[in-house]
């Protein structure tokens, strides 16, 4: 390579490194803003209310879904999966509902790893139980429920992002004058 080509390649590398550093700094700034927003007690209170709705709804759906199997002497595979999934989900959902009452009382959400694990297991087991219950009633109903659930997660995610992280998101967290004049680390 010639000196001009070497210089061009080096300039391109430097520009790329600067762009990457700027992107990292912007990502860190946005992460910090999101962290500040999620620390807001009003946001945590709303999350607790939404969790109560979700856990109560899943527990109720589980009871309705499992009820027909209570008098059955033998279950096919999909019914057995439904019953076992709700046997896992129901006590966890009940515990999470009780915990949410305490979170409401304290006006803050817990950040415990066992609680996060219980939430994931409870929600996953309830989803498996609902899918298996619909599958037991009809193969087509099970497939439709599964497909619609995937679409519903996308709809919720899209709406949530639109509501919480719209174009005005950054304006809610204007940096103070001292933040702007401080040298970046």
């Amino acid at each position: 390579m010639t000196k001009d080509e070497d210089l061009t390649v080096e300039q391109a590398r430097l520009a790329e490194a600067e762009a990457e550093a700027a992107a990292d700094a912007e990502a860190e700034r946005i992460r910090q803003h999101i962290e500040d927003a999620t620390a807001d007690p009003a946001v945590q209170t709303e999350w607790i209310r939404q969790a109560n709705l979700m856990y109560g709804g899943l527990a109720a759906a589980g009871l309705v879904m499992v009820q027909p199997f209570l008098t059955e002497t033998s279950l096919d595979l999909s019914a057995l999966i439904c019953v076992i999934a709700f046997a896992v989900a129901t006590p966890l959902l009940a515990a999470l509902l009780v915990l949410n009452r305490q979170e409401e009382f304290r006006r803050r959400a817990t950040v415990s790893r066992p609680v996060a694990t219980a939430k994931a297991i409870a929600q996953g087991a309830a989803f498996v139980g609902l899918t298996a219950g619909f599958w037991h009633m009809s193969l087509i109903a099970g497939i439709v429920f599964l497909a619609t659930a995937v679409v519903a997660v996308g709809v919720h995610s899209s709406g949530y992002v639109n509501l919480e992280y719209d174009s005005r998101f950054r304006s809610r967290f204007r940096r103070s004058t001292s933040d702007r004049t401080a040298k970046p680390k």
Side-chain angles (χ1 to χ4, degrees):
M1 276 201 259
T2 68
K3 284 187 178 184
D4 288 341
E5 289 173 335
D6 288 344
L7 182 62
T8 303
V9 168
E10 186 60 29
Q11 286 174 339
R13 283 187 191 145
L14 285 173
E16 186 177 312
E18 287 174 5
E20 189 174 316
D24 288 346
E26 179 69 4
E28 176 59 26
R29 192 175 67 74
I30 291 171
R31 186 198 62 75
Q32 186 60 48
H33 289 317
I34 290 171
E35 199 172 284
D36 293 345
T38 59
D40 180 357
V43 171
Q44 290 190 9
T45 300
E46 180 57 25
W47 286 347
I48 292 166
R49 277 193 291 248
Q50 289 177 13
N52 277 334
L53 178 64
M54 180 177 49
Y55 301 148
L58 288 173
L63 293 173
V64 169
M65 196 64 84
V66 171
Q67 188 177 8
F69 303 129
L70 292 176
T71 57
E72 294 296 319
T73 54
S74 68
L75 302 172
D76 67 3
L77 183 60
S78 60
L80 185 62
I81 290 170
C82 176
V83 170
I84 291 171
F86 280 113
V88 170
T90 303
L92 290 173
L93 292 168
L96 291 168
L97 279 167
V98 172
L99 174 63
N100 275 6
R101 296 295 295 175
Q102 186 65 24
E103 289 176 326
E104 258 182 278
F105 174 71
R106 293 292 175 198
R107 293 187 177 97
R108 62 186 171 91
T110 183
V111 289
S112 166
R113 218 172 249 202
V115 172
T117 301
K119 288 177 181 181
I121 291 170
Q123 292 171 23
F127 179 74
V128 167
L130 286 168
T131 304
F134 281 112
W135 200 285
H136 174 75
M137 290 180 248
S138 159
L139 175 66
I140 294 170
I143 292 169
V144 167
F145 175 79
L146 196 57
T148 306
V150 170
V151 170
V153 168
V155 167
H156 176 267
S157 297
S158 174
Y160 180 85
V161 168
N162 241 339
L163 286 170
E164 296 299 327
Y165 305 112
D166 61 4
S167 61
R168 293 170 297 190
F169 175 74
R170 291 184 185 169
S171 67
R172 289 183 241 167
F173 302 100
R174 293 269 185 229
R175 292 190 303 176
S176 67
T177 307
S178 62
D179 287 348
R180 286 184 220 146
T181 57
K183 292 182 180 180
K185 295 179 182 178

